[in-house]
Amino acid sequence: MCEEVFEKMLGEGGFFAGLLARSPSGRGCEPLYGPDLPVVLLTGGPGMGKSRLLREVRDRFAAKVPVIHLDCRSTVCEDRAGPEPGARSDTTEVLVEVARRLSTWQGAGGSFAFPRLFTGLVVLATGAAAGTTEAVATEAERYEELPQKRRLRGLAAGDFWHGVVRGSIRNLLTTLTGAAFDPFSAAVMNGVVDAVFERLAPRGRAELERIYGTYPGAAGQPKHGLRNLAADFQAGGEARELAEGFLFRALREDIEAGYTSPSGWLRRVGRPGLLLDHAEWPLGERLLRAVLADRRGGQRDRTVIVGTARRADGGAFLYGGLTSQEAGRAAEFRPGEGKPPPWTRDEDGAPERTPLARGVLLLRMPFLTGDQLRRVTERMQTRTQPEGSANRRRIDAAVARLSGGRPHTVARLAAAAASFRMPADANDRDLLAAPLRMPADSASEQPVAEVLVRELLLDQPPVRLPSEHRDHWLDLLTHLSVAHDEECAEVLLRHH
């Protein structure tokens, strides 16, 4: 693995210390970029170390600043949303998961509260499938720990809410108890919205007016905005995506409030981070699209968003149907080339017509250099091959040629080569037959080629691979391997 480059990015004065404005040791750092922050996308194919780098960022910084790591390929949130599809989605469950983790944050400044997000979630709860006030109350009570910070006994509850404690949501709906309604019935919706606003202190009411009054079609009226939010969520498709994106904005507004309040300004340090592994999956793309559109429209927040992307251009959704050349390429940073470049948002004309790619910084995951690759193979063969032996030199050359410097492939080939002797008349490809014993299954060995095919190809098919190709993905990839550009690949697909 490219340890030197990783250390430069993750160290005391590295890229991520500047991005999070906090070093791994807890020392404050000069903030990199801002107040308009780019979304950082780690780009590179399978085996380039994107997921490992995100985990390293979490492990090194999460004790000093609030850093949340999410796997957008996981189906956990989708499974949680399944029982109530009219009131939840995988996106809302991700937002709830982030809020719950931050509501228990024990670092500098203490936990966060999410009254703005809570209000939108409670309105969505009126879509509970049973259509009764009991069902709505049960759904809304899932979020009761979110609107207020955890406080010591005897301390005031703050000035946003007069007090939201366990059971209060059910009490708010007592006037409708026993009635049955269709999901999103006007009576239930109005009862919930009115009840929420009755519990607000003046500051809280003004804050919800500022946020939900800007929802499309609200005309400055927060109750209209909340009703439109619920209706769009229920409508599905692009309308639901709009509602989910707005709730993501409410989450970031809550996080921002945790820093800009008088106590937060004095006690909180650095910037919070949201790390989206496998962000090329639909869930990750929806989150990225929402934050990029908000920031393009002028919304500013200090939440650092870092995701992964397999495509070198970051993903087709960033370019609005244009090619990356037509839309203007996103800014790039290659860690091996020195300091990160300056970044500013480059807009042409109306912001809404500016490609989302202008709000992105692409961090190119590095290939291993010849010296770095040689050090990896030497570490693996220290006890098996003398320094400068002919076999070691041949293995070094074979690993370099077969891996192309891709870190995961280098690591697997070097491990397999540790106890493998190249035949006298061998060529480099013979190394692919070297047996590799996996740590999780030490009882059996497999040719290293089979391990790499499974890990890098079979276990990581394209996100939007059509269903008719899934059963023979490897055959299809072999067929397309002779293509030297996208147009050639399309010809092969059409004529075979």
Side-chain angles (χ1 to χ4, degrees), residues 1-3 46-49 52 366-369 372-381 395-396 398-400 402-419 431-432 434-439 448-449 451-452 455-456:
M1 185 54 68
C2 192
E3 304 294 344
M48 287 299 295
R52 182 197 164 189
F367 294 92
L368 298 187
T369 66
Q372 292 164 347
L373 188 150
R374 199 155 36 248
R375 285 195 288 271
V376 172
T377 57
E378 285 175 358
R379 283 199 302 269
M380 295 291 186
Q381 298 189 24
I395 284 177
D396 287 347
V399 171
L402 294 172
S403 69
R406 292 169 176 81
H408 183 83
T409 306
V410 169
R412 289 286 187 250
L413 290 174
S419 57
L431 181 58
L432 296 173
L436 178 65
R437 178 175 285 126
M438 300 299 293
V448 65
V451 174
L452 289 170
E455 292 179 335
L456 301 182

Side-chain angles (χ1 to χ4, degrees), residues 99-138:
R100 282 181 175 149
R101 292 191 200 178
L102 292 179
S103 69
T104 59
W105 164 250
Q106 298 298 313
S111 61
F112 291 77
F114 296 90
R116 299 158 185 81
L117 175 65
F118 169 82
T119 303
L121 293 172
V122 167
V123 172
L124 294 191
T126 59
T132 64
T133 54
E134 177 72 18
V136 171
T138 300

